[in-house]
Amino acid sequence: MRRGIAAVALAAAVIVSASACSSGSGSGSAAAGPVTITWWDTSDATNESPTFKTMVADFQKANPDVKVTYVNVPFADAQSKFQTAAGSKGAPDVLRADVGWTAGFAKSGFLAPLDGTAAAADVAQFQPQLVEQAKYEGKLYGVPQVTDTLALMYNKELFAKAGITKAPATWGELKADTALVKEKTGVDGFAVNPQAYYAMPFLYGEGTDMLDVAAKKITVASPAAVKGIDTLKSLVAAPGMAKLDTTSNGYANIMDAFTNGKVAAIIQGPWESANVFKGQAFLKNDNLGIAPVPAGSTGKAGAPLGGHNLVAYAGSDAAHQAAAQKFIAFMTSANSQIYTATKNSTLPTRTDAYTPEVTTNLGIAGYQKVLSTGQPRPAVSQYSSLYDPFGTELIKILSGQESTKAGLDNVAASAKKLLPDYDAQ
């Protein structure tokens, strides 16, 4: 595999060799020696970064004209650190950026557009909706490295004991299945994660989002959004549901219950697949069912697309820009994504990276099938900031402390402060 990655890097080097040699920067000239670029990697330092360190070494072997200074930056700190560094002209040449950061960094002028560069030479091989959320105002500012979305994870054995032969396709079917699982097995049928990100499928299922960017409207408190969250609220109160957990350990408690067979279904992302397979209920990996999130009244299912883009700093000189483009091309190549997927159990962003070697991982194979339901985040820099007020109000709504409309109106008011040129619907 590593030989394969090196081969891709050599091909990428041929593509960009002309631009790298003609950059005009002293630091990039042959006389000055290799160009040294810095990469801030925001992956998990224990479980994921070793894979990327290996890939950096492979890249450097195949590209002796470029050296990479690898820095692992904690994800929680990376956004603010990059903003500070970019504002003082000291940012890394390449950043592994959450998809929710890309538009904001581009709007601030921190990122270099990648259209027509070596970094984007294979853009046609990537999932279209992932490319869409790497853009801002029509220009490409990132290349998708890994992706994720939400799906219904369910325990096939518990479903079978309850006489359920297929995954629920609608929220109404999920509600019925939840009651049936409890009745037949004594196990809770479904557990809700009361966080804003996990509530998004209930909005998408009603054909809405927090914002309508084209119309410049705040839609988080629209009738469709209220209907979606009312559906979620009714699900929380339904027979067979796990008790709503709003504690600081709620996420971990839900995962523990699911992996040990104490709850039959949850909405979750592929980042938990490896942990699920370690649980007592899924030691036989094929006991895990993965299906699209249920649909709302529109008949369509939708889940938010997540993941990370590799972006290039606009403040770098021409030689460093060329080297950064070469590095991004390497790290997002088909062979690199295959290697990353097999080592880190993450979802590739390229269609040609879903090889038999990759899809032997049942978590990856399952989530590949639901990626088509993924909804790109709008290219609005403030969009990700809306999750905080939405999450605060969602807990109050689901706990019965306020009505759905009142809570969502509060979210809309917070959105108006962030987006004063938007109208509330």
Side-chain angles (χ1 to χ4, degrees), residues 329-363:
F330 173 88
M331 295 297 288
T332 58
S333 69
N335 277 16
S336 289
Q337 291 205 16
I338 291 168
Y339 183 73
T340 303
T342 55
K343 292 295 185 180
N344 292 356
S345 297
T346 50
L347 267 66
T349 57
R350 301 171 60 117
T351 56
D352 55 357
Y354 284 91
T355 63
E357 178 183 11
V358 169
T359 55
T360 55
N361 181 312
L362 297 182

Side-chain angles (χ1 to χ4, degrees), residues 28-55:
S29 66
V35 175
T36 298
I37 61 172
T38 299
W39 176 38
W40 281 8
D41 172 29
T42 59
S43 71
D44 179 82
T46 302
N47 299 316
E48 295 182 318
S49 70
T51 296
F52 295 128
K53 289 178 181 178
T54 296
M55 294 167 67

Side-chain angles (χ1 to χ4, degrees), residues 16-157:
V16 299
S17 60
S19 61
C21 292
S22 61
S23 65
S25 169
S27 61
S29 66
V35 175
T36 298
I37 61 172
T38 299
W39 176 38
W40 281 8
D41 172 29
T42 59
S43 71
D44 179 82
T46 302
N47 299 316
E48 295 182 318
S49 70
T51 296
F52 295 128
K53 289 178 181 178
T54 296
M55 294 167 67
V56 166
D58 285 340
F59 171 79
Q60 292 181 137
K61 289 176 185 177
N63 297 274
D65 59 330
V66 181
K67 291 190 178 299
V68 180
T69 299
Y70 174 91
V71 181
N72 185 268
V73 179
F75 178 80
D77 303 330
Q79 185 177 17
S80 60
K81 282 181 176 292
F82 185 81
Q83 287 173 327
T84 300
S88 61
K89 303 296 183 182
D93 302 283
V94 179
L95 171 72
R96 182 181 187 261
D98 182 88
V99 295
W101 305 344
T102 305
F105 288 160
K107 181 181 180 181
S108 298
F110 296 155
L111 305 183
L114 299 175
D115 303 272
T117 70
D122 287 351
V123 71
Q125 297 293 335
F126 291 78
Q127 302 274 359
Q129 69 268 44
L130 304 182
V131 174
E132 187 62 31
Q133 67 177 7
K135 292 182 176 181
Y136 179 69
E137 294 186 342
K139 293 183 179 180
L140 184 71
Y141 284 97
V143 180
Q145 184 194 29
V146 296
T147 189
D148 59 63
T149 191
L150 295 177
L152 180 75
M153 279 187 174
Y154 63 97
N155 186 314
K156 292 180 180 179
E157 182 180 351

